[in-house]
Amino acid sequence: MKIKLAEKIIEIEHLFTYIEEYCRDYITADSGKSDFSIFITKDDIEYERERSRKEDMAEGIKVREFNDDYLETLAVYRKISEKMPDFDTILFHGSAVAVDGEGFLFTAKSGTGKSTHTRLWRVRFGDRAVMVNDDKPLIKICEDGSAVVYGTPWDGKHRLSNNISVPLKALCILKRGETNEIAEITKQKAYPMLLQQVYRPRDPVSMKKTMELLERLNVNLAELKCNMSPEAAEVSYTFMKG
Amino acid sequence: MKLKSKFITHETGKESLLIPTGGAGFSGLVKGNKTLGAILELLKEDTTEEKIIAALAERFDAPVDKIASDVKKALSELKNIGAIEE
């Protein structure tokens, strides 16, 4: 199977058929040379199983058991994410929404309300708002520090994404608050959250490249404290639009 | 002792950072000033606590016992997060 993700043609040798359905909006019939290939083995599936168990235990929740075909989707994205820094592209945990063709990315710890906030944007802006990716978009960081955010099939439990790409206007760290307040944040202050939310490759060279890409990233950075009222969308959009 | 390969260093110009790769088993971030940066740089090669103290004493204008205390504290924290191989 070949998919096109963040402008890269990726050949995937997989074990199960579920991944084909999962990636159906991204499958390409392009007969040209792939940018890279990945191969999934049973060991890769077991790695994801073990990792998922450890994460559930670390979060203090009941360990969930997943089928091999679902775990393969995780293994595929992990292998893709390990390689993408070679192409100046990183996986970032966040909810990305486009309004009038510009991308806005919200990131936070799980459960804070990223998806809830971008849902407020969709209510506020109607057809002008399009979900890029509600969970794990890819972001390409250009030489000049500007960035492009891409839809991917790895789009969260509500499966919210579109196969589109838009320039990234701003990235916002979300926190819960009593009132809706937003302010600019420096890269230095944002670093701990950026590092927590970016995919950190296992390969040290790829990890080093990821750090360089984060260093290079030059988009508006903001921190929003919000209470999830409809007003929150107006507050964040007005500030992030610039 | 030296830094494990699963941890990488990064300078932001203002701070020195030690960042774990995805397989390091630690998900935090260590950051500090240029003293930390110097210690991390020395730990890229096999070294000892004494050698690190001596190198920093040459580089920085501070009392040796203060340097020794800072180095001891930094190494202890790095060992706690599993960043050092003996």
Side-chain angles (χ1 to χ4, degrees):
Chain A
M1 169 176 82
K2 272 189 190 177
I3 63 173
K4 188 171 182 180
L5 215 56
E7 299 172 53
K8 296 299 156 201
I9 307 288
I10 306 164
E11 175 118 36
I12 303 172
E13 291 278 340
H14 52 96
L15 299 172
F16 303 99
T17 54
Y18 177 60
I19 187 76
E20 290 171 7
E21 167 61 24
Y22 199 83
C23 295
R24 70 175 184 278
D25 292 339
Y26 294 78
I27 289 177
T28 178
D30 192 321
S31 58
K33 192 174 179 304
S34 307
D35 289 292
F36 64 94
S37 303
I38 62 166
F39 306 86
I40 302 300
T41 66
K42 287 202 170 141
D43 282 349
D44 295 326
I45 307 282
E46 285 313 305
Y47 177 86
E48 294 302 330
R49 177 168 280 120
E50 193 51 36
R51 194 164 172 129
S52 173
R53 276 193 190 132
K54 282 181 181 168
E55 282 171 2
D56 284 351
M57 284 167 60
E59 291 200 26
I61 62 175
K62 187 171 175 240
V63 169
R64 296 167 291 170
E65 297 293 340
F66 296 111
N67 292 335
D68 286 4
D69 50 6
Y70 170 71
L71 291 171
E72 185 174 55
T73 66
L74 304 183
V76 166
Y77 207 26
R78 187 179 306 282
K79 289 206 167 183
I80 290 173
S81 303
E82 287 277 334
K83 191 71 183 155
M84 289 307 275
D86 286 358
F87 304 105
D88 293 358
T89 303
I90 55 177
L91 180 161
F92 203 82
H93 180 215
S95 185
V97 61
V99 171
D100 301 333
E102 287 184 314
F104 301 86
L105 175 61
F106 292 90
T107 192
K109 290 181 187 176
S110 293
T112 305
K114 302 182 288 295
S115 299
T116 304
H117 192 74
T118 50
R119 195 185 321 132
L120 291 176
W121 278 48
R122 284 184 281 128
V123 169
R124 165 71 181 82
F125 294 105
D127 290 344
R128 289 167 62 199
V130 178
M131 281 308 295
V132 181
N133 184 295
D134 196 33
D135 186 36
K136 293 183 178 68
L138 288 173
I139 305 176
K140 177 167 178 166
I141 294 139
C142 308
E143 287 292 332
D144 65 355
S146 63
V148 179
V149 59
Y150 296 87
T152 79
W154 289 270
D155 53 10
K157 58 187 176 205
H158 303 297
R159 302 306 312 270
L160 286 173
S161 69
N162 285 282
N163 188 355
I164 60 171
S165 63
V166 289
L168 183 62
K169 179 80 176 173
L171 190 158
C172 181
I173 295 170
L174 198 72
K175 292 184 175 175
R176 290 196 185 176
E178 296 281 322
T179 56
N180 297 308
E181 298 168 28
I182 190 166
E184 192 178 346
I185 187 173
T186 61
K187 179 84 74 71
Q188 192 178 357
K189 287 218 166 108
Y191 245 116
M193 181 60 81
L194 294 180
L195 273 173
Q196 204 171 52
Q197 302 297 75
V198 77
Y199 175 76
R200 287 183 287 112
R202 288 171 288 189
D203 172 51
V205 173
S206 207
M207 180 70 224
K208 191 81 180 160
K209 180 67 188 291
T210 299
M211 290 308 302
E212 287 166 14
L213 292 169
L214 283 181
E215 194 73 38
R216 193 198 294 175
L217 179 66
N218 186 18
V219 301
N220 294 335
L221 295 175
E223 185 176 85
L224 168 70
K225 291 175 190 157
C226 65
N227 58 22
M228 301 305 163
S229 64
E231 181 215 36
E234 197 64 48
V235 167
S236 55
Y237 176 73
T238 304
F239 187 87
M240 292 166 81
K241 178 89 176 78
Chain B
M1 65 177 148
K2 61 188 280 194
L3 212 55
K4 283 184 185 169
S5 61
K6 287 182 178 176
F7 288 79
I8 63 156
T9 61
H10 185 78
E11 299 286 328
T12 67
K14 290 180 182 174
E15 287 180 313
S16 298
L17 306 179
L18 181 71
I19 300 127
T21 62
F26 172 67
S27 57
L29 162 71
V30 177
K31 53 180 181 168
N33 57 19
K34 55 188 176 195
T35 305
L36 177 70
I39 294 171
L40 294 175
E41 203 54 40
L42 291 163
L43 281 167
K44 286 180 179 175
E45 301 292 331
D46 199 26
T47 187
T48 64
E49 185 171 338
E50 293 71 30
K51 284 181 183 172
I52 294 173
I53 293 169
L56 262 55
E58 263 186 62
R59 201 183 306 185
F60 297 110
D61 183 22
V64 174
D65 54 355
K66 172 78 169 71
I67 289 174
S69 169
D70 287 349
V71 169
K72 194 178 182 72
K73 189 176 169 212
L75 290 178
S76 173
E77 286 182 21
L78 292 172
K79 284 174 187 171
N80 277 345
I81 65 169
I84 303 276
E85 63 185 42
E86 301 283 1

